[in-house]
Amino acid sequence: MPYPPCHSCSGFGRRSWPQLVGKPAAEAKATIERDMPGVTAVIISTRASGTADFCCNRVWVVVNDDPQRTVAEVPIVG
């Protein structure tokens, strides 16, 4: 899966979405991208790993492998 190219961090306000833990992955992705235009929410499994680089226009949305694919961790910018 291609990741979004990194951009400058200036102008980015919100850094995390704790209220999304336990929510469906699609709902979390839509909420994050609506809250922060220009940010891409990337859904990954708890068994997967993202990249080690920090990117302020990307939010990792780590989801459980349950059928509902619920958010397992607080989504954060990075």
Side-chain angles (χ1 to χ4, degrees):
M1 160 183 24
Y3 296 113
C6 289
H7 296 288
S8 168
C9 290
S10 64
F12 285 90
R14 188 154 191 178
R15 299 282 181 209
S16 66
W17 290 261
Q19 76 279 13
L20 295 178
V21 173
K23 301 288 186 185
E27 179 182 334
K29 179 176 175 61
T31 298
I32 292 165
E33 291 177 351
R34 183 178 56 248
D35 284 355
M36 295 280 296
V39 166
T40 300
V42 180
I43 298 171
I44 61 171
S45 166
T46 55
R47 295 181 297 165
S49 63
T51 61
D53 64 325
F54 180 84
C55 189
C56 55
N57 61 309
R58 173 181 61 212
V59 175
W60 296 117
V61 180
V62 180
V63 297
N64 293 307
D65 290 328
D66 59 11
Q68 295 79 25
R69 293 183 38 102
T70 56
V71 178
E73 300 174 11
V74 175
I76 58 170
V77 172

